[in-house]
Amino acid sequence: MNGKIRVSSHGNGELTITGLSQEEIEKIYGAINFGNSYIKVEDGQLKTVPKFKDLPGPIADKSMLPFWRQASEEEMAQGTLFNNAIFEKEDYRSPSIIIQSLCGYFYTPEKYQLYAKKLESYGFECLRSRRDPNAKFLEFWYLPGLWAAKNQLKEVIDSIQIKEGEKLWKNLDPRKTEAALNFLGTDIKFGTLDVSIQKLAMPIPE
């Protein structure tokens, strides 16, 4: 705390508040710009009451667990849990796609709704972080793999045919990834798009 909060000046459409800590400034900013809480001052100290419930933490929802079945004692040995990473070449091994800042500089509520519906129809999931004190949050649009693509995006990916004799697993052909990125780059407006390549994976026990 920087001391007691008080109004040091007001008038001509302006109000100056002094005695605020940085955290209190963020809370007031969130309340005024995003309406995420009610605020008041008691005995010179800021009091806030959240308007929205916090999202549960990543381990709070026990019904989500376990994600995988319990491993046997034989599988618990570190040497058998993970295959060695393959660094010889970048071969688009099981690529996943993450899009951030949907719409980018072209944001409007209408455009966001349009692109969000498109991404959902293509198989993307919207992932959001919990809100910070000033009501901001991170948002990611996630496609876990080309195998999860739907509708038009799936048609674009499936249009790339693996030639006879090519030893490539389904959806691992880098041409499929390139086709998906070209389609998304022309059909969706976004700030950034990242492709994540699988380097480590738990193998199926032999």
Side-chain angles (χ1 to χ4, degrees), residues 52-69:
F52 309 110
K53 291 183 178 180
D54 289 337
L55 292 174
I59 62 173
D61 191 352
K62 294 182 179 180
S63 64
M64 294 287 289
L65 303 174
F67 296 104
W68 286 17
R69 62 169 174 76

Side-chain angles (χ1 to χ4, degrees), residues 82-89 93 197-201:
F82 294 99
N83 283 333
N84 291 328
I86 300 175
F87 293 109
E88 287 80 8
K89 61 179 181 177
R93 184 171 298 275
I197 309 303
Q198 184 187 100
K199 286 298 186 181
L200 295 172

Side-chain angles (χ1 to χ4, degrees), residues 18-173:
T18 58
L20 294 168
S21 67
Q22 183 59 39
E23 181 181 0
E24 289 168 336
I25 290 173
E26 291 179 354
K27 289 180 178 180
I28 292 176
Y29 179 88
I32 294 175
N33 288 284
F34 301 101
N36 66 311
S37 62
Y38 301 104
I39 59 175
K40 65 178 180 179
V41 175
E42 288 184 357
D43 298 324
Q45 304 300 323
L46 184 71
K47 305 293 183 182
T48 63
V49 178
K51 290 176 62 177
F52 309 110
K53 291 183 178 180
D54 289 337
L55 292 174
I59 62 173
D61 191 352
K62 294 182 179 180
S63 64
M64 294 287 289
L65 303 174
F67 296 104
W68 286 17
R69 62 169 174 76
Q70 182 65 40
S72 66
E73 291 184 6
E74 292 78 11
E75 294 169 347
M76 286 302 292
Q78 183 66 31
T80 62
L81 281 177
F82 294 99
N83 283 333
N84 291 328
I86 300 175
F87 293 109
E88 287 80 8
K89 61 179 181 177
E90 296 292 342
D91 60 354
Y92 288 93
R93 184 171 298 275
S94 298
S96 59
I97 298 175
I98 297 176
I99 288 176
Q100 298 184 59
S101 303
L102 191 58
C103 293
Y105 294 123
F106 299 96
Y107 175 84
T108 65
E110 294 76 18
K111 286 182 179 178
Y112 178 88
Q113 185 177 36
L114 169 65
Y115 295 135
K117 287 182 176 179
K118 281 189 173 185
L119 287 180
E120 286 181 328
S121 73
Y122 298 157
F124 282 79
E125 288 288 342
C126 180
L127 309 179
R128 287 178 174 171
S129 70
R130 287 172 287 181
R131 291 182 182 272
D132 62 19
N134 65 9
K136 295 181 179 179
F137 58 87
L138 298 175
E139 180 180 280
F140 301 89
W141 288 88
Y142 178 60
L143 187 75
L146 301 187
W147 54 266
K150 299 177 181 177
N151 299 315
Q152 284 180 281
L153 180 58
K154 184 178 187 302
E155 292 173 5
V156 168
I157 294 170
D158 290 344
S159 68
I160 305 299
Q161 298 297 318
I162 297 177
K163 298 178 182 179
E164 185 177 354
E166 288 182 320
K167 296 181 179 179
L168 293 169
W169 289 2
K170 182 180 180 181
N171 289 334
L172 293 190
D173 188 336

